[in-house]
Amino acid sequence: MKILIVGGVAGGASAAARLRRLDEKAEIIMFERGEFISFANCGLPYYIGGDISRKSDLVVIPKEAFSARFNIDVRNFTEVTDIDRENKRVTAKNLITGEEYQESYDKLILSTGASPILPPIPGIESKRVFTLRTIPDAYRIKDFIDQESPKSAIVAGGGYIGVEMAENLKKTGLEVTIIEMADHLIAPIDYDIACDVHNYIRSKGINLILNNALKEIKEGERLTAVLSMGKIEADMLIMSVGVRPDTGLALKAGLKFNPRGAIIVNEHMLTSDPDIYAVGDSVEVTEYVSKDKAFIPLAGPANKQGRIAADNICGIDSVYEGTQGSSVIKIFDMTVAATGLNERAAKAKGYNYDKVFLYSNSHASYYPNGTRMSMKVIFEKSTGKLLGAQIAGFDGVDKRMDVLATAIRANLTAKDLTRLELCYAPPFSSAKDPVNMAGYAVENILNGLVKQFHWHDVRDLPQDGSVTLLDVRTQKEYSRGHIEGSVNIPLDALRENLDKLDKNKPVYVYCHSGQRSYLACRILSGNGFDAFNLSGGYRLYESVVNASRIGDYNCITGQKC
């Protein structure tokens, strides 16, 4: 059997290696138009920032080593320009010599990936405007910083690569500004969790301009970024507004596409042609939770898809069950992770959902150097099925998200989370792990043990005295800041002061994180009150309000918009 693979990196290289492990006799040829067939594109920002110091560390495996180990004919600097489906052959061009030739195939795998979106705005062609997708892109940015000594940089786009680039540019000593068209960074998470990220990033000296779009880039002694509101100057600019499927070759070949331009494949990664497979960032996938079609470009799924395509070519009935969108990002010392549906998606897809917010310790509170993490878990009201989760914190975030991602993949419910037996010792966790606590919080709601309200409901509470807003923190905490209109009765004094509350009025209770206020709600409910707990507590409410207040300002001028 003769198998051609167009494109390396995650999907193509994984497919090639798996094919050889399954079939020692197959003829396998891999075409890659760039120099590197397998490289750490997720590590590129850290090369620019200096955490990865050697260029060679960006290459997962050199062409020569890959070819020798797997007996694969690797042709880099070679672009496949045409697919003749009827005669089952491709046209390839050597980009160094200019030679064109044809190569036949029995099976073909397309792993052409995605390319950075460059919006059609004036000035985008400037030599001081960069994108980051490949190793040569990283070299160009690093060389510019080393040779031109810029003092400031703009990152247009606040997704994963944009935020990672902002951090690493800051590490090189540049003044950095992120411009984001949406109201928050990191699209897979929701605004409320993103507010913790905004507050932290600003504390690190990075300027955020949200709800604002890049409209034009003007050349001069410095670059001027003209925005939908205002303008800002810098010495360089990184475009990081997203990627689109790189599917020109497949489009030319007449394969089926979705409206976004991604190649349509079945569960075996087979395209509309019975002899052509496609994998990686160029394909449409099934979103695992909702089962809707989606475009979710991630390295992990691309690797799995390459393996699945190879399995099916070699006669193994292997199936790709969908992409969950599990992701994690490091931002200085902070970790942010997400999996499954965010709240915006759950709402848009018509789920009858609710959510819980927790502010949990990374390990036992009495063990030194603990930190806390903000957790958001979204669930289906009728069944308790987990729909998605988001966490922002500083220690232990990734392992909690991995557990939650596994739970969602296994179709577990919140009740199942309470039953998980997770590893415990004081340096690593608590006897009731934050994942268990998330399950308990949802279970209490589903069982009717507590009713809750959220940070965005506070503004809608009646101001006519028909409800009571109760703060059960200590007097010292209350004096440092509280929700306007609330009365303060500390939890430990609540039972002795129930006569100060009107049983005819609903009581909306909050504390710092939601834990003490939950206890207060149980006391109140047990004494005949209609009580509601503020999920996530005053800490979350204050985080969102403060971030929103800062966001009301035009960070270009420091004046109100």
Side-chain angles (χ1 to χ4, degrees), residues 47 89 157 220 369 413 465 473:
Y47 169 72
R89 62 192 179 196
N369 302 318
T413 66
R473 298 175 300 158

Side-chain angles (χ1 to χ4, degrees), residues 365-407:
S365 58
Y366 57 83
Y367 189 85
N369 302 318
T371 60
R372 306 194 80 175
M373 62 185 79
S374 296
M375 299 180 64
K376 179 178 184 177
V377 176
I378 302 162
F379 62 95
E380 193 172 44
K381 285 184 180 181
S382 58
T383 63
K385 177 183 176 181
L386 302 171
L387 301 178
Q390 301 157 41
I391 311 178
F394 297 91
D395 181 40
V397 169
D398 52 341
K399 74 173 182 177
R400 271 59 184 231
M401 188 54 70
D402 282 342
V403 173
L404 290 166
T406 304

